[in-house]
């Protein structure tokens, strides 16, 4: 009994020890795992905390503009207080410091980390800062560049825009920018030429009383403040207040030299009387496509016609009386006379006595009758004038329809015009090459003889004699237009050969559209005339298909030479 009990007790003790040992192992394992995790976390923190030292940031930034690189120094205080500066959150710095202290207390020793070598960029930074200082000043208002420009420079800039766009409304708008721009925009040199169009209302709409008052007040202000040295004044598409505008301008603009009314209506005799009283320097009147009181203009020409040098008007039932008044001698010093109509007008015949006009206007230099067919009208007493137009430089009798002008009529106009430079006879199908060759002008520079709108072009027979014209004017001819003139191939080739005898920089424009020009005749002209920058070869039946077009520019014409070989 004692032996068995002893064995049992020893077995029970072994079991208890095994259980206790098993419990001890189970409790020791999770403790080791937690310690391992803590060690890994500390290692990660150490790895995160270790930072590699980077090179110092440069003291400038580079911004790419449209056509240049801008080097901007960050050391300046240009962006201090601007909306582009980053705002730091409150308390962020304190939190970072607190975290840093906690980490320093936990970790006693840190392993040294090999930092990358720093790049020495000091000399580069200093050089770039010097460049940046050339573009950016240290002043607070350096962005207001318009206030630091000299007034003379602003006036020169405004003058370039005024030449291209006009004084109104450009100068009125830039004058509201600041005081400096207002002073520059009010310079009298910028207000020598003014054109006023639809500034208040759209075309075709009626004007309210408030709008009319605003227009008049604006004209008064412009006349008092800006028009002190006004010379050229133009009104376009005005149907009301034209008389008021002319009266104000004539009273406050003593230097007014030129007046243009384009598509205006409602001009009465009172406006012309005001011009006669105040505008003593007025010498140019342009009344094309405008409706006015003819009696008032005739009265003005009879009293002040001696000061008029240029007059332009459109053909009409009442306006034809102006030409009769001019032929009577009311404008003895007239230098330019132009009568025109719209392109869609047809059969606009105007009787004119050339002999009376030659006697009344011996100083005439430019005579234009655009789309108007002059009908020769003889003098009553049959007196032949001893002189024609000795100073005439330009004659234009172009038309969109059939013209009755003959060689004899042309001879009567130009029999005493040796200084003629420009001759425009487009549409005059009855004029021949022999009639042109007999003219006394020896230094013609521009000859426009194309047949564009005439319905009789296809019925015309082949012509000859073009070579006599190119031989006569080859030394001075700069522009030649013989579109749809049916000259023979041989005559065209001979005419082109005479053009090649002139200097290389003489001929600049050549229109051979619809002619019988051949590659053989065209090749020497293109090769030798180096100043030729316009060539029209459209509808030329004797040329290859690929070259029948309009050429602009010397390079484009040079490429044509390779295609003709």
């Amino acid at each position: 009994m004692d032996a068995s009990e002893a064995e049992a007790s020893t077995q029970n003790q072994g079991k208890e020890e095994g259980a206790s040992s098993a419990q001890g192992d189970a409790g020791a394992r999770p403790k080791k795992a937690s310690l391992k995790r803590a060690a890994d976390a500390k290692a990660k923190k150490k790895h995160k905390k270790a930072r590699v030292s980077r090179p110092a940031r440069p003291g400038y930034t580079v911004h790419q503009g449209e056509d240049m690189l801008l080097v901007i120094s960050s050391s300046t205080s240009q962006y201090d207080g601007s909306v582009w500066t980053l705002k730091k959150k409150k308390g962020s710095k304190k939190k970072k410091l607190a975290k840093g202290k906690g980490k320093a207390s936990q970790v006693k020793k840190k392993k040294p980390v090999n930092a990358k070598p720093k790049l020495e960029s000091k000399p580069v930074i200093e050089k770039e800062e010097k460049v940046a200082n050339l573009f950016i000043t240290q002043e607070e208002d350096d962005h207001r560049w318009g206030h630091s420009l000299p007034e003379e420079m602003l006036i020169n800039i405004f003058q370039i825009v005024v030449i291209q766009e006009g004084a109104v409304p450009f100068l009125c708008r830039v004058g509201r920018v600041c005081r400096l721009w207002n002073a520059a925009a009010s310079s009298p040199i910028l207000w020598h030429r003014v054109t006023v169009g639809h500034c208040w209302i759209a075309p075709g709409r009626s004007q309210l009383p408030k709008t009319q008052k605003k227009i008049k007040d604006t004209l008064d202000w412009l006349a008092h403040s800006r028009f002190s040295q006004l010379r050229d004044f133009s009104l376009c598409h005005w149907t009301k207040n034209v008389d008021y505008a002319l009266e104000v301008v004539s009273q406050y603009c003593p230097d007014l030299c030129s007046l243009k009314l384009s598509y205006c209506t409602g001009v009465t005799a009172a406006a012309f009387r005001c011009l006669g009283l105040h505008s003593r320097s007025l010498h140019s009147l342009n009344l094309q496509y405008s409706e006015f009181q003819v009696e008032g203009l005739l009265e003005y020409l009879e009293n002040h016609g001696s000061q008029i040098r240029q007059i332009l008007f459109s053909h009409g039932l009442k306006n034809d009386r102006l030409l009769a008044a001019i032929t009577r001698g009311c404008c003895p010093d007239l230098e330019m006379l132009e009568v025109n109509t719209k392109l869609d007008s047809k059969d606009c015949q105007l009787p004119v006595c050339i002999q009376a006009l030659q006697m009344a206007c011996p100083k005439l230099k430019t005579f234009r009758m655009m789309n108007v067919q002059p009908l020769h009208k003889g003098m009553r007493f049959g007196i032949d004038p001893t002189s024609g137009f000795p100073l005439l430089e330009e004659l234009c009798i172009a038309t969109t329809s059939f013209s009755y002008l003959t060689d004899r009529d042309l001879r009567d106009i130009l029999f005493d015009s040796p200084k003629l430079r420009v001759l425009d006879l487009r549409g005059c199908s009855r004029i021949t090459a022999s009639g042109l060759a007999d003219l006394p002008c020896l230094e013609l520079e521009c000859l426009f003889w194309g047949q564009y709108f005439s319905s009789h072009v296809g019925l015309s027979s082949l012509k000859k004699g073009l070579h006599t014209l190119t031989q006569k004017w080859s030394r001075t001819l700069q522009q030649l237009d013989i579109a749809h003139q049916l000259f023979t191939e041989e005559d065209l080739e001979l005419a082109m050969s005479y053009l090649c005898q002139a200097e290389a920089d003489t001929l600049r424009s050549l229109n051979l559209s619809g002619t019988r020009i051949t590659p053989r005749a065209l090749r020497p002209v293109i090769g030798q005339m180096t100043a030729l920058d316009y060539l029209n070869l459209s509808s030329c039946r004797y040329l290859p298909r690929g070259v029948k077009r309009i050429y602009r520019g010397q390079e484009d014409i040079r490429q044509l030479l390779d295609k003709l070989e």
Side-chain angles (χ1 to χ4, degrees):
M1 296 295 292
D2 296 336
S4 61
E5 289 178 359
E7 291 178 357
S9 62
T10 55
Q11 290 178 358
N12 292 334
Q13 290 177 359
K15 289 181 181 179
E16 290 176 359
E17 290 176 359
S20 62
S21 64
Q23 290 178 359
D25 295 339
R29 286 178 183 174
K31 289 181 180 180
K32 291 181 181 179
S34 61
L35 292 173
K36 188 177 182 180
R37 289 174 185 171
D40 294 340
K42 289 180 180 180
K44 288 182 180 179
K45 288 181 179 180
K46 289 179 181 180
H47 180 68
K48 289 183 179 178
K49 191 173 182 181
R51 295 180 181 178
V52 180
S53 60
R54 298 179 180 176
R57 295 180 62 185
Y60 65 93
T61 56
V62 180
H63 296 269
Q64 184 175 2
E66 295 181 357
D67 55 352
M68 64 184 297
L69 294 177
L70 298 179
V71 181
I72 301 177
S73 174
S74 59
S75 61
T76 59
S77 60
Q78 180 187 5
Y79 300 105
D80 293 344
S82 65
V83 296
W84 300 105
T85 56
L86 296 176
K87 296 182 179 179
K88 297 182 180 180
K89 295 182 180 179
K90 296 181 179 179
S92 60
K93 198 170 184 180
K94 294 180 180 179
K95 290 181 180 179
K96 289 183 179 179
L97 292 174
K99 289 182 180 179
K101 289 181 179 179
K103 291 180 181 179
S105 62
Q106 291 178 3
V107 182
K108 295 181 180 180
K109 295 182 180 181
K110 296 181 180 179
K111 294 182 179 180
V113 179
N114 296 328
K116 294 183 179 180
K118 296 183 179 181
L119 298 176
E120 295 181 0
S121 58
K122 290 183 178 180
V124 179
I125 294 174
E126 292 177 358
K127 187 182 294 185
E128 298 295 346
E129 286 182 355
K130 290 180 180 180
V131 177
N133 292 332
L134 296 176
F135 294 95
I136 300 177
T137 59
Q138 302 296 330
E139 299 178 0
E140 295 181 358
D141 58 344
D142 54 358
H143 61 281
R144 303 177 65 183
W145 58 270
H147 293 262
S148 60
L149 283 177
E151 184 176 342
E152 293 78 8
M153 186 178 295
L154 274 178
I155 293 175
N156 292 334
I157 296 173
F158 291 167
Q159 192 169 16
I160 296 173
V161 182
V162 166
I163 293 173
Q164 297 178 355
E165 303 293 335
V168 177
F170 169 72
L171 294 178
C172 300
R173 292 174 178 174
V174 298
R176 301 171 63 182
V177 175
C178 61
R179 293 182 179 178
L180 176 63
W181 285 40
N182 187 12
S186 61
S187 177
I189 194 174
L190 299 176
W191 296 88
H192 285 176
R193 178 178 296 180
V194 175
T195 300
V196 181
H198 299 293
C199 295
W200 293 273
I201 60 171
R205 293 190 178 183
S206 59
Q207 296 180 6
L208 298 176
K210 292 183 179 180
T211 306
Q212 293 186 9
K213 185 179 183 301
K214 183 178 180 181
I215 293 173
K216 292 181 180 180
D217 294 342
T218 305
L219 285 173
D220 291 337
W221 179 82
L222 287 173
H224 285 84
S225 305
R226 299 292 186 266
F227 290 173
S228 60
Q229 297 183 13
L230 182 65
R231 297 179 182 177
D232 300 338
F233 183 69
S234 301
L235 281 180
C236 301
H237 300 274
W238 277 46
T239 57
K240 294 182 179 180
N241 302 317
V242 181
D243 279 358
Y244 184 82
L246 295 182
E247 291 175 2
V248 171
V249 170
S250 61
Q251 291 177 6
Y252 295 97
C253 305
D255 298 331
L256 185 65
C257 300
S258 175
L259 175 64
K260 179 180 179 181
L261 302 179
S262 180
Y263 296 95
C264 294
T265 58
V267 186
T268 63
F272 292 110
R273 293 194 192 98
C274 194
L275 289 174
L277 291 175
H278 303 285
S279 301
R280 298 294 184 180
S281 301
L282 185 64
H283 62 76
S284 178
L285 278 176
N286 189 344
L287 306 174
Q288 292 178 342
Y289 310 112
S290 295
E291 296 179 5
F292 52 89
Q293 191 174 358
V294 181
E295 290 76 9
L297 181 56
L298 290 175
E299 181 183 356
Y300 173 80
L301 292 178
E302 290 177 358
N303 298 328
H304 308 280
S306 58
Q307 69 185 37
I308 299 299
R309 302 291 183 272
Q310 300 178 2
I311 185 168
L312 301 88
F313 62 94
S314 299
H315 173 71
L317 297 176
K318 296 182 179 180
N319 299 354
D320 297 345
R321 298 168 56 185
L322 295 176
L323 187 60
I326 293 173
T327 55
R328 290 197 299 266
C330 64
C331 302
D333 296 332
L334 193 65
E335 297 179 358
M336 178 180 178
L337 175 62
E338 179 176 340
V339 185
N340 65 357
T341 56
K342 297 181 180 180
L343 292 177
D344 56 354
S345 302
K346 296 182 179 179
D347 298 331
C348 298
Q349 299 180 0
L350 179 61
V352 54
C353 182
I354 298 298
Q355 289 82 3
L357 186 62
Q358 291 172 344
M359 297 177 64
C361 305
K363 299 181 181 180
L364 196 65
K365 295 181 179 180
T366 303
F367 184 27
R368 299 172 185 166
M369 302 191 74
M370 309 288 293
N371 204 26
V372 176
Q373 299 181 13
L375 295 180
H376 184 67
K377 181 180 178 181
M379 298 186 68
R380 294 182 179 180
F381 303 102
I383 302 175
D384 295 332
T386 57
S387 62
F389 297 117
L391 304 178
L392 192 65
E393 297 179 357
E394 179 182 350
L395 175 64
C396 177
I397 312 181
T399 179
T400 59
S401 59
F402 183 73
S403 177
Y404 298 98
L405 190 70
T406 60
D407 292 341
R408 182 178 178 180
D409 298 334
L410 186 62
R411 177 74 178 183
D412 293 339
I413 298 174
L414 300 175
F415 74 93
D416 190 20
S417 303
K419 297 183 179 181
L420 191 70
R421 299 290 184 273
V422 180
L423 181 59
D424 191 351
L425 300 174
R426 286 173 290 184
C428 300
S429 56
R430 291 190 177 186
I431 301 297
T432 63
S434 59
L436 292 175
D438 294 336
L439 295 178
C441 45
L442 301 176
E443 297 181 355
L444 193 68
E445 297 178 358
C446 303
L447 175 60
F448 304 100
W449 194 22
Q451 305 295 321
Y452 292 97
F453 307 100
S454 180
S455 60
H456 301 270
V457 172
L459 303 177
S460 302
S461 58
L462 294 178
K463 299 180 180 179
K464 295 182 180 180
L466 181 63
H467 65 280
T468 58
L469 303 181
T470 56
Q471 182 181 9
K472 180 178 181 179
W473 295 314
S474 61
R475 184 177 55 85
T476 59
L477 200 60
Q478 299 179 6
Q479 300 183 32
L480 178 61
D481 180 7
I482 52 172
H484 302 284
Q485 290 285 2
L486 301 181
F487 291 100
T488 61
E489 299 92 309
E490 295 79 7
D491 196 9
L492 285 170
E493 184 176 354
L494 184 58
M496 296 299 108
S497 65
Y498 282 119
L499 285 178
C500 296
Q501 295 179 3
E503 296 182 359
D505 59 346
T506 303
L507 188 63
R508 300 178 181 177
S509 175
L510 183 60
N511 191 345
L512 301 173
S513 176
T515 61
R516 304 165 70 94
I517 192 70
T518 60
R520 180 180 176 182
L522 188 60
R523 196 178 298 114
V525 178
I526 300 176
Q528 298 182 21
M529 296 291 103
T530 58
L532 188 65
D533 57 2
Y534 177 83
L535 179 61
N536 192 342
L537 299 178
S538 58
S539 303
C540 294
R541 64 185 72 179
Y542 289 93
L543 293 178
R545 289 185 177 180
V547 301
K548 297 179 182 180
R549 65 181 183 88
I550 300 176
Y551 298 85
R552 292 181 174 89
Q554 298 179 7
E555 295 182 0
D556 194 13
I557 296 175
R558 293 291 173 231
Q559 295 177 0
L560 173 63
L561 187 60
D562 300 335
K563 298 179 182 180
L564 295 177
E565 293 181 354

